[in-house]
């Protein structure tokens, strides 16, 4: 995790894009920047489902809150018509944020899960 904590935002997005490619995703595009319409990465799963990803490289003592998940939900489902939505963060999520993610079919990849994914574990939603 120390290596990810040292990355800038674009490097972190590229790292996540690399994990998607490693796990069989195709058409992986890092959007990034101010004109990304709330999505940092788009891709297709190995079986052709549309993926959108929001990446947040925050300090480990911060948390992803419910308004951030709600904003991503609108971008992922309404603007981008995603079938798989990943919110990947280098920090934890609040309980409310996790509840909204679960109710909305958003996969919350918190610090611990990100560490496992980076070490080679597969994300179930990508299988």
């Amino acid at each position: 995790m120390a290596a990810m904590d040292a990355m800038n935002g674009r490097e972190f997005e590229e790292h996540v894009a690399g994990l998607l490619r490693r796990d069989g995703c195709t058409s992986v595009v890092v959007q990034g920047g101010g004109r990304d319409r709330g999505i940092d990465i788009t891709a297709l799963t190995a079986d052709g489902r549309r993926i959108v990803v929001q990446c947040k490289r925050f300090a480990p003592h911060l948390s992803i809150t419910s308004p951030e998940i709600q904003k991503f939900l609108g971008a992922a489902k309404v603007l981008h018509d995603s079938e798989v939505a990943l919110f990947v963060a280098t920090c934890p999520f609040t309980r409310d944020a996790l509840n909204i993610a679960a109710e909305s079919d958003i996969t919350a990849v918190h610090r611990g899960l990100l560490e496992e994914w980076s070490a080679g574990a597969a994300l179930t939603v990508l299988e």
Side-chain angles (χ1 to χ4, degrees), residues 13-64:
E13 291 167 0
E14 292 291 347
H15 174 73
V16 173
L19 295 174
L20 291 167
R21 288 183 191 101
R22 180 200 73 195
D23 290 349
C25 296
T26 60
S27 302
V28 179
V29 177
V30 178
Q31 311 284 336
R35 306 180 108 190
D36 62 14
R37 299 182 80 192
I39 300 300
D40 294 318
I41 302 169
T42 59
L44 297 173
T45 62
D47 61 2
R49 291 172 291 148
R50 285 181 306 283
I51 304 171
V52 296
V53 184
Q54 176 64 258
C55 298
K56 292 293 183 190
R57 194 195 54 78
F58 287 170
H61 67 276
L62 298 174
S63 294
I64 301 300

Side-chain angles (χ1 to χ4, degrees), residues 111-122:
R111 188 173 181 85
L113 184 53
L114 175 59
E115 187 171 23
E116 292 173 13
W117 189 26
S118 294

